[in-house]
Amino acid sequence: YLERPIGKSDILSVFSGLRPLVSGKAAKTSQLSREHHIECSAAGLISIAGGKWTTYRRMAEDTLDFAIHRRMLRAAPCGSSTLKIHGAAESGTDGVLGEYGSDRAGVEALIAADAGLAQRIDRDLPYTWAQVVYAVRSEMARTLEDVLSRRTRALLLDAQAAIRCAPDAAAVVARELGRGEEWARAQVRQFSELVRENYTLR
Protein backbone atom coordinates (compact mmCIF):
# COMPACT_ATOMS: atom_id res chain seq x y z
CA TYR A 1 0.00 0.00 0.00
CA LEU A 2 2.85 2.39 0.70
CA GLU A 3 6.05 3.14 -1.17
CA ARG A 4 8.03 3.24 2.07
CA PRO A 5 7.50 0.84 5.01
CA ILE A 6 6.19 2.44 8.19
CA GLY A 7 8.33 2.24 11.32
CA LYS A 8 7.49 3.04 14.92
CA SER A 9 9.19 6.42 14.58
CA ASP A 10 6.59 7.39 11.96
CA ILE A 11 3.68 6.96 14.38
CA LEU A 12 2.90 10.29 16.03
CA SER A 13 -0.12 9.29 18.08
CA VAL A 14 -2.32 6.26 18.67
CA PHE A 15 -5.93 5.97 19.82
CA SER A 16 -8.88 3.63 19.74
CA GLY A 17 -12.54 4.36 19.27
CA LEU A 18 -15.47 2.95 21.19
CA ARG A 19 -18.98 2.48 19.89
CA PRO A 20 -22.04 1.84 22.04
CA LEU A 21 -23.56 -1.48 21.02
CA VAL A 22 -26.97 -2.83 21.90
CA SER A 23 -26.35 -6.03 23.83
CA GLY A 24 -27.58 -9.29 22.38
CA LYS A 25 -27.00 -13.02 22.48
CA ALA A 26 -23.84 -12.91 20.37
CA ALA A 27 -20.72 -14.11 22.18
CA LYS A 28 -18.44 -11.59 20.47
CA THR A 29 -18.96 -7.85 20.13
CA SER A 30 -17.99 -8.15 16.48
CA GLN A 31 -21.23 -10.09 15.97
CA LEU A 32 -23.46 -7.49 17.64
CA SER A 33 -25.48 -5.17 15.45
CA ARG A 34 -24.05 -1.71 14.77
CA GLU A 35 -27.56 -0.41 14.07
CA HIS A 36 -29.54 1.69 16.53
CA HIS A 37 -32.43 0.27 18.51
CA ILE A 38 -35.56 2.13 19.63
CA GLU A 39 -37.88 1.06 22.41
CA CYS A 40 -40.64 2.49 24.57
CA SER A 41 -41.00 1.89 28.31
CA ALA A 42 -44.28 1.19 30.07
CA ALA A 43 -44.26 4.82 31.22
CA GLY A 44 -44.02 6.04 27.62
CA LEU A 45 -40.33 7.00 27.61
CA ILE A 46 -38.80 6.49 24.16
CA SER A 47 -35.14 5.47 24.24
CA ILE A 48 -32.70 5.05 21.38
CA ALA A 49 -29.49 3.06 21.87
CA GLY A 50 -26.54 2.13 19.70
CA GLY A 51 -25.98 3.80 16.35
CA LYS A 52 -23.21 6.26 15.56
CA TRP A 53 -22.66 9.99 15.08
CA THR A 54 -22.63 9.72 11.29
CA THR A 55 -26.21 8.40 11.21
CA TYR A 56 -27.70 10.85 13.71
CA ARG A 57 -30.13 12.30 11.15
CA ARG A 58 -31.50 8.86 10.32
CA MET A 59 -31.72 8.05 14.02
CA ALA A 60 -33.79 11.19 14.58
CA GLU A 61 -36.14 10.33 11.74
CA ASP A 62 -36.57 6.74 12.92
CA THR A 63 -37.32 7.92 16.47
CA LEU A 64 -40.00 10.34 15.27
CA ASP A 65 -41.52 7.69 13.01
CA PHE A 66 -41.55 5.32 15.98
CA ALA A 67 -43.49 7.85 18.09
CA ILE A 68 -45.88 8.68 15.24
CA HIS A 69 -46.59 4.99 14.59
CA ARG A 70 -47.58 4.60 18.26
CA ARG A 71 -49.74 7.73 18.10
CA MET A 72 -47.53 9.55 20.59
CA LEU A 73 -47.02 12.38 18.08
CA ARG A 74 -49.10 13.67 15.24
CA ALA A 75 -47.98 12.61 11.80
CA ALA A 76 -45.55 15.06 10.21
CA PRO A 77 -42.46 14.78 8.03
CA CYS A 78 -39.11 14.79 9.80
CA GLY A 79 -36.91 17.77 8.94
CA SER A 80 -33.60 16.28 10.04
CA SER A 81 -32.32 15.73 6.49
CA THR A 82 -32.21 19.48 5.78
CA LEU A 83 -31.78 20.88 9.29
CA LYS A 84 -28.58 22.90 9.63
CA ILE A 85 -26.62 22.22 12.79
CA HIS A 86 -24.74 24.85 14.77
CA GLY A 87 -21.79 26.18 12.82
CA ALA A 88 -23.15 25.33 9.38
CA ALA A 89 -21.59 27.61 6.79
CA GLU A 90 -22.14 28.01 3.07
CA SER A 91 -18.52 29.00 2.42
CA GLY A 92 -15.22 29.66 4.13
CA THR A 93 -14.65 26.07 5.22
CA ASP A 94 -11.03 25.83 4.05
CA GLY A 95 -8.01 25.42 6.31
CA VAL A 96 -7.91 24.73 10.01
CA LEU A 97 -10.33 27.57 10.78
CA GLY A 98 -12.76 26.09 8.27
CA GLU A 99 -13.62 23.50 10.93
CA TYR A 100 -15.44 26.26 12.81
CA GLY A 101 -17.95 26.90 10.05
CA SER A 102 -20.00 30.01 10.84
CA ASP A 103 -18.13 30.36 14.16
CA ARG A 104 -14.90 31.08 12.30
CA ALA A 105 -15.45 34.81 12.72
CA GLY A 106 -15.16 34.39 16.49
CA VAL A 107 -11.64 32.99 16.23
CA GLU A 108 -10.66 35.60 13.65
CA ALA A 109 -11.93 38.37 15.95
CA LEU A 110 -9.57 37.19 18.68
CA ILE A 111 -6.64 37.41 16.26
CA ALA A 112 -7.75 40.85 15.09
CA ALA A 113 -7.73 42.04 18.71
CA ASP A 114 -4.37 40.42 19.51
CA ALA A 115 -2.08 39.50 16.61
CA GLY A 116 0.02 37.32 18.92
CA LEU A 117 -2.84 34.83 19.10
CA ALA A 118 -2.23 33.99 15.43
CA GLN A 119 0.96 32.15 16.41
CA ARG A 120 0.82 28.37 16.26
CA ILE A 121 0.87 26.49 19.56
CA ASP A 122 3.64 24.21 18.24
CA ARG A 123 5.72 24.02 15.09
CA ASP A 124 4.22 20.61 14.22
CA LEU A 125 0.58 21.48 14.88
CA PRO A 126 -1.77 23.63 12.79
CA TYR A 127 -3.59 25.21 15.75
CA THR A 128 -3.18 28.76 17.05
CA TRP A 129 -3.37 30.38 20.47
CA ALA A 130 -6.59 32.04 19.35
CA GLN A 131 -8.15 28.59 19.13
CA VAL A 132 -7.05 27.81 22.68
CA VAL A 133 -8.63 31.02 23.97
CA TYR A 134 -11.75 30.45 21.89
CA ALA A 135 -12.10 26.91 23.26
CA VAL A 136 -12.29 28.26 26.81
CA ARG A 137 -14.41 31.33 26.12
CA SER A 138 -16.86 29.89 23.62
CA GLU A 139 -16.68 26.08 23.64
CA MET A 140 -16.84 25.35 27.38
CA ALA A 141 -13.33 23.86 27.59
CA ARG A 142 -12.39 23.56 31.26
CA THR A 143 -9.23 21.45 31.21
CA LEU A 144 -6.03 21.16 29.22
CA GLU A 145 -7.27 17.86 27.85
CA ASP A 146 -10.48 19.55 26.69
CA VAL A 147 -8.41 22.00 24.64
CA LEU A 148 -5.70 19.72 23.26
CA SER A 149 -7.86 16.66 22.61
CA ARG A 150 -11.53 17.59 22.38
CA ARG A 151 -11.66 21.14 20.99
CA THR A 152 -8.57 20.85 18.82
CA ARG A 153 -7.19 17.50 17.72
CA ALA A 154 -3.62 18.28 18.74
CA LEU A 155 -3.24 15.12 20.82
CA LEU A 156 -4.56 12.90 18.05
CA LEU A 157 -2.30 14.48 15.43
CA ASP A 158 0.98 14.44 17.33
CA ALA A 159 1.23 13.33 20.95
CA GLN A 160 4.75 14.69 21.51
CA ALA A 161 3.87 18.06 20.03
CA ALA A 162 0.85 18.19 22.34
CA ILE A 163 3.10 17.51 25.33
CA ARG A 164 5.55 20.21 24.18
CA CYS A 165 2.89 22.89 24.06
CA ALA A 166 1.07 21.66 27.18
CA PRO A 167 2.75 24.01 29.72
CA ASP A 168 2.06 27.12 27.66
CA ALA A 169 -1.45 25.95 26.79
CA ALA A 170 -2.19 25.21 30.45
CA ALA A 171 -1.02 28.72 31.36
CA VAL A 172 -3.42 30.22 28.82
CA VAL A 173 -6.32 28.05 30.01
CA ALA A 174 -5.52 28.91 33.63
CA ARG A 175 -5.48 32.63 32.84
CA GLU A 176 -8.80 32.42 31.01
CA LEU A 177 -10.41 30.48 33.87
CA GLY A 178 -8.88 32.58 36.64
CA ARG A 179 -6.84 29.63 37.96
CA GLY A 180 -3.38 29.71 39.50
CA GLU A 181 0.00 28.29 38.57
CA GLU A 182 -0.42 25.17 40.71
CA TRP A 183 -3.62 24.31 38.85
CA ALA A 184 -1.80 24.74 35.54
CA ARG A 185 1.07 22.51 36.68
CA ALA A 186 -1.40 19.84 37.82
CA GLN A 187 -3.10 20.00 34.44
CA VAL A 188 0.22 19.41 32.67
CA ARG A 189 1.02 16.45 34.94
CA GLN A 190 -2.38 14.86 34.36
CA PHE A 191 -2.23 15.47 30.62
CA SER A 192 1.30 14.08 30.30
CA GLU A 193 0.30 10.93 32.18
CA LEU A 194 -2.75 10.53 29.95
CA VAL A 195 -0.59 10.82 26.83
CA ARG A 196 1.96 8.28 28.07
CA GLU A 197 -0.71 5.77 29.08
CA ASN A 198 -3.04 6.04 26.09
CA TYR A 199 -1.61 7.89 23.09
CA THR A 200 1.94 6.67 22.60
CA LEU A 201 3.41 3.32 21.60
CA ARG A 202 4.95 1.26 24.36
Side-chain angles (χ1 to χ4, degrees), residues 165-201:
C165 72
D168 289 338
V172 172
V173 175
R175 185 187 68 228
E176 289 295 319
L177 293 176
R179 302 283 190 148
E181 291 182 7
E182 182 51 44
W183 181 89
R185 285 193 292 269
Q187 286 289 300
V188 173
R189 286 194 302 271
Q190 292 168 15
F191 183 74
S192 298
E193 183 177 338
L194 173 80
V195 174
R196 284 193 301 270
E197 290 293 318
N198 300 291
Y199 293 88
T200 55
L201 289 178

Coordinates of all heavy atoms in Angstrom, one line a residue, residues 165-201:
C165 N 3.6 21.6 23.9 CA 2.9 22.9 24.1 C 2.0 22.9 25.3 O 1.4 23.9 25.6 CB 2.1 23.2 22.8 SG 0.6 22.1 22.6
A166 N 2.0 21.8 26.0 CA 1.1 21.7 27.2 C 1.3 22.7 28.3 O 0.4 23.3 28.7 CB 1.2 20.3 27.8
P167 N 2.6 23.0 28.7 CA 2.8 24.0 29.7 C 2.2 25.4 29.3 O 1.6 26.1 30.1 CB 4.3 24.0 29.9 CG 4.7 22.6 29.5 CD 3.8 22.3 28.3
D168 N 2.5 25.8 28.1 CA 2.1 27.1 27.7 C 0.5 27.1 27.5 O -0.1 28.1 27.8 CB 2.7 27.5 26.3 CG 4.2 27.9 26.5 OD1 4.6 28.2 27.7 OD2 5.0 27.8 25.5
A169 N 0.0 26.0 27.0 CA -1.5 25.9 26.8 C -2.2 26.0 28.1 O -3.2 26.6 28.3 CB -1.8 24.7 26.0
A170 N -1.6 25.2 29.1 CA -2.2 25.2 30.4 C -2.2 26.6 31.1 O -3.1 27.0 31.8 CB -1.4 24.2 31.3
A171 N -1.1 27.4 30.8 CA -1.0 28.7 31.4 C -2.1 29.6 30.8 O -2.7 30.4 31.5 CB 0.4 29.3 31.1
V172 N -2.4 29.4 29.5 CA -3.4 30.2 28.8 C -4.8 29.8 29.4 O -5.6 30.7 29.7 CB -3.4 30.0 27.3 CG1 -4.6 30.7 26.6 CG2 -2.1 30.6 26.7
V173 N -5.0 28.5 29.5 CA -6.3 28.1 30.0 C -6.5 28.5 31.4 O -7.6 29.0 31.8 CB -6.4 26.5 29.9 CG1 -7.7 26.0 30.6 CG2 -6.4 26.0 28.5
A174 N -5.4 28.5 32.2 CA -5.5 28.9 33.6 C -5.9 30.4 33.7 O -6.7 30.8 34.5 CB -4.2 28.6 34.3
R175 N -5.2 31.2 32.9 CA -5.5 32.6 32.8 C -6.9 32.9 32.5 O -7.6 33.7 33.1 CB -4.5 33.3 31.9 CG -4.7 34.9 31.9 CD -3.9 35.5 30.8 NE -4.4 35.2 29.5 CZ -3.7 34.7 28.4 NH1 -2.4 34.6 28.5 NH2 -4.3 34.5 27.3
E176 N -7.4 32.2 31.5 CA -8.8 32.4 31.0 C -9.8 32.0 32.1 O -10.9 32.6 32.2 CB -9.1 31.6 29.7 CG -8.3 32.2 28.5 CD -8.8 33.6 28.1 OE1 -10.1 33.8 28.2 OE2 -8.0 34.4 27.8
L177 N -9.5 31.0 32.9 CA -10.4 30.5 33.9 C -10.2 31.1 35.2 O -10.9 30.8 36.2 CB -10.3 29.0 34.0 CG -10.7 28.1 32.8 CD1 -10.4 26.6 33.0 CD2 -12.2 28.3 32.5
G178 N -9.2 32.0 35.3 CA -8.9 32.6 36.6 C -8.3 31.6 37.6 O -8.4 31.7 38.8
R179 N -7.5 30.6 37.1 CA -6.8 29.6 38.0 C -5.4 30.0 38.2 O -4.8 30.8 37.4 CB -6.9 28.3 37.3 CG -8.3 27.8 37.0 CD -9.0 27.3 38.3 NE -10.2 26.6 37.9 CZ -10.7 25.6 38.6 NH1 -10.0 25.1 39.7 NH2 -11.8 25.0 38.3
G180 N -4.8 29.4 39.2 CA -3.4 29.7 39.5 C -2.4 28.8 38.8 O -2.7 27.9 38.1
E181 N -1.1 29.1 39.2 CA 0.0 28.3 38.6 C 0.0 26.8 39.0 O 0.3 26.0 38.2 CB 1.3 28.9 39.0 CG 1.6 30.3 38.3 CD 2.9 30.8 38.7 OE1 3.7 30.1 39.3 OE2 3.2 32.0 38.3
E182 N -0.4 26.6 40.2 CA -0.4 25.2 40.7 C -1.5 24.4 39.9 O -1.2 23.2 39.6 CB -0.7 25.1 42.2 CG -0.7 23.7 42.8 CD 0.5 22.9 42.4 OE1 1.7 23.5 42.5 OE2 0.4 21.7 42.0
W183 N -2.6 25.0 39.7 CA -3.6 24.3 38.8 C -3.1 24.0 37.5 O -3.3 22.9 37.0 CB -4.9 25.2 38.7 CG -6.0 24.6 37.9 CD1 -7.0 23.8 38.4 CD2 -6.2 24.7 36.5 NE1 -7.8 23.4 37.4 CE2 -7.4 24.0 36.2 CE3 -5.6 25.4 35.5 CZ2 -7.9 23.9 34.9 CZ3 -6.1 25.3 34.2 CH2 -7.2 24.6 33.9
A184 N -2.4 24.9 36.9 CA -1.8 24.7 35.5 C -0.8 23.6 35.6 O -0.8 22.8 34.7 CB -1.2 26.0 35.0
R185 N 0.1 23.6 36.6 CA 1.1 22.5 36.7 C 0.4 21.2 36.8 O 0.8 20.2 36.3 CB 2.0 22.8 37.8 CG 3.1 23.9 37.6 CD 4.2 23.9 38.6 NE 3.7 24.3 39.9 CZ 3.7 25.6 40.3 NH1 4.1 26.6 39.5 NH2 3.2 25.9 41.5
A186 N -0.7 21.1 37.6 CA -1.4 19.8 37.8 C -2.0 19.4 36.5 O -2.0 18.2 36.2 CB -2.5 20.0 38.9
Q187 N -2.5 20.3 35.7 CA -3.1 20.0 34.4 C -2.1 19.4 33.5 O -2.3 18.4 32.8 CB -3.7 21.2 33.8 CG -5.0 21.7 34.4 CD -6.1 20.8 34.1 OE1 -6.5 20.5 32.9 NE2 -6.7 20.2 35.1
V188 N -0.9 19.9 33.5 CA 0.2 19.4 32.7 C 0.6 18.0 33.1 O 0.8 17.1 32.3 CB 1.4 20.3 32.7 CG1 2.6 19.7 32.0 CG2 1.1 21.7 32.1
R189 N 0.7 17.8 34.4 CA 1.0 16.5 34.9 C 0.0 15.4 34.5 O 0.3 14.3 34.0 CB 1.1 16.5 36.5 CG 2.4 17.1 37.0 CD 2.6 16.8 38.5 NE 1.5 17.2 39.3 CZ 1.4 18.4 39.9 NH1 2.4 19.3 39.7 NH2 0.4 18.7 40.6
Q190 N -1.3 15.8 34.7 CA -2.4 14.9 34.4 C -2.4 14.6 32.9 O -2.6 13.4 32.4 CB -3.7 15.4 34.8 CG -3.9 15.5 36.3 CD -5.1 16.4 36.7 OE1 -6.0 16.7 35.9 NE2 -5.1 16.8 38.0
F191 N -2.2 15.6 32.1 CA -2.2 15.5 30.6 C -1.1 14.6 30.2 O -1.2 13.7 29.3 CB -2.2 16.8 30.0 CG -2.3 16.8 28.5 CD1 -3.5 16.5 27.8 CD2 -1.1 17.0 27.7 CE1 -3.5 16.5 26.4 CE2 -1.2 17.0 26.3 CZ -2.4 16.7 25.7
S192 N 0.1 14.9 30.7 CA 1.3 14.1 30.3 C 1.1 12.6 30.6 O 1.5 11.7 29.9 CB 2.5 14.6 31.0 OG 2.8 16.0 30.6
E193 N 0.5 12.3 31.8 CA 0.3 10.9 32.2 C -0.7 10.3 31.2 O -0.5 9.1 30.8 CB -0.2 10.9 33.6 CG -0.4 9.5 34.1 CD -0.9 9.4 35.6 OE1 -0.6 10.4 36.3 OE2 -1.5 8.4 36.0
L194 N -1.8 11.0 30.9 CA -2.8 10.5 29.9 C -2.1 10.2 28.6 O -2.4 9.1 28.0 CB -3.8 11.6 29.7 CG -4.9 11.3 28.6 CD1 -5.9 10.3 29.2 CD2 -5.5 12.6 28.2
V195 N -1.2 11.0 28.1 CA -0.6 10.8 26.8 C 0.3 9.6 26.9 O 0.2 8.7 26.0 CB 0.3 12.0 26.4 CG1 1.0 11.7 25.2 CG2 -0.6 13.3 26.2
R196 N 1.1 9.5 27.9 CA 2.0 8.3 28.1 C 1.2 7.0 28.1 O 1.6 6.0 27.6 CB 2.9 8.4 29.3 CG 4.0 9.4 29.1 CD 5.0 9.3 30.3 NE 4.4 9.5 31.6 CZ 4.3 10.7 32.1 NH1 4.8 11.8 31.5 NH2 3.8 10.9 33.3
E197 N 0.1 7.0 28.9 CA -0.7 5.8 29.1 C -1.6 5.4 27.9 O -1.8 4.2 27.6 CB -1.6 5.9 30.3 CG -0.9 6.0 31.6 CD -0.3 4.6 31.9 OE1 -0.9 3.6 31.7 OE2 0.9 4.7 32.4
N198 N -2.0 6.3 27.1 CA -3.0 6.0 26.1 C -2.7 6.5 24.7 O -3.4 6.0 23.8 CB -4.4 6.7 26.5 CG -4.9 6.2 27.8 OD1 -5.3 5.0 28.0 ND2 -4.8 7.0 28.9
Y199 N -1.8 7.3 24.4 CA -1.6 7.9 23.1 C -0.2 7.7 22.5 O 0.0 8.2 21.4 CB -2.0 9.4 23.1 CG -3.4 9.6 23.4 CD1 -3.9 9.8 24.7 CD2 -4.3 9.7 22.3 CE1 -5.2 10.0 24.9 CE2 -5.7 9.9 22.5 CZ -6.1 10.1 23.8 OH -7.5 10.3 24.1
T200 N 0.6 6.9 23.2 CA 1.9 6.7 22.6 C 2.2 5.2 22.6 O 1.6 4.4 23.4 CB 3.0 7.4 23.4 OG1 2.9 7.0 24.8 CG2 2.9 8.9 23.3
L201 N 3.1 4.7 21.7 CA 3.4 3.3 21.6 C 4.3 2.9 22.8 O 5.1 3.7 23.2 CB 4.2 3.0 20.3 CG 3.4 3.1 19.0 CD1 4.3 2.8 17.8 CD2 2.2 2.1 19.0

